Amino acid sequence: MSDELPPCPACEQAFTYEQGALLVCSMCGHEWSASEAAEAAADAVIKDSVGNVLADGDTVTIVKTVKVKGGGGGVIKIGTKVRNIRLISDGVGDHDIDAKIPDFGQMQLKSSVVKKVL
């Protein structure tokens, strides 16, 4: 198990601790097993802004203007098409997509700002 414990599946708070073989939420008192948490993480599905399930290699479009921080800044405009995305679980903050953006290069995106091209 990693050093960081998963958030509570009941209340989504990050205040969990281990008690024997169980994980316990100090906010709501919910208890669950560590194996359930590992299975849930493995079964995690990443969805776009409208609920479509994303997969590695998909093509997406940006649905909201994104301001780029660092590296000279800039703006990724609505409708920008991004090809061949890669889903990641260890992104910065809640970024879960790694992609090469035209005119910007390699960067991470949040799934909430993209829509899958069907």
Side-chain angles (χ1 to χ4, degrees), residues 3 5 8 11 13 16 22 24-25 29 37 39 42 50 61-62 66 70 74-75 79 82 89 91-92 112 114 117-118:
D3 294 334
L5 296 173
C8 174
C11 68
Q13 295 293 321
T16 58
L22 295 176
V24 182
C25 176
E39 288 175 15
V50 293
T61 58
I62 306 295
V66 178
V75 176
V82 181
S89 60
V92 177
S112 61
V114 300
V117 174
L118 300 174

Side-chain angles (χ1 to χ4, degrees), residues 54-64 66 76-86 97-110 113-118:
L54 295 172
D56 286 343
D58 281 346
T59 299
V60 296
T61 58
I62 306 295
V63 296
K64 152 181 172 177
V66 178
I76 303 172
K77 295 184 180 182
I78 296 173
T80 301
K81 188 178 277 192
V82 181
R83 292 180 169 84
N84 199 19
I85 65 169
R86 188 171 61 94
I97 297 173
D98 191 32
K100 186 174 182 181
I101 312 294
D103 300 328
F104 285 93
Q106 200 73 20
M107 66 175 51
Q108 295 180 359
L109 296 169
K110 296 180 183 179
V113 299
V114 300
K115 179 180 171 191
K116 184 175 181 176
V117 174
L118 300 174

Side-chain angles (χ1 to χ4, degrees), residues 7-46:
C8 174
C11 68
E12 299 296 324
Q13 295 293 321
F15 305 110
T16 58
Y17 61 91
E18 290 181 277
Q19 184 174 15
L22 295 176
L23 297 174
V24 182
C25 176
S26 61
M27 296 299 286
C28 69
H30 180 71
E31 297 178 349
W32 69 100
S33 70
S35 62
E36 288 175 14
E39 288 175 15
D43 293 337
V45 179
I46 298 177

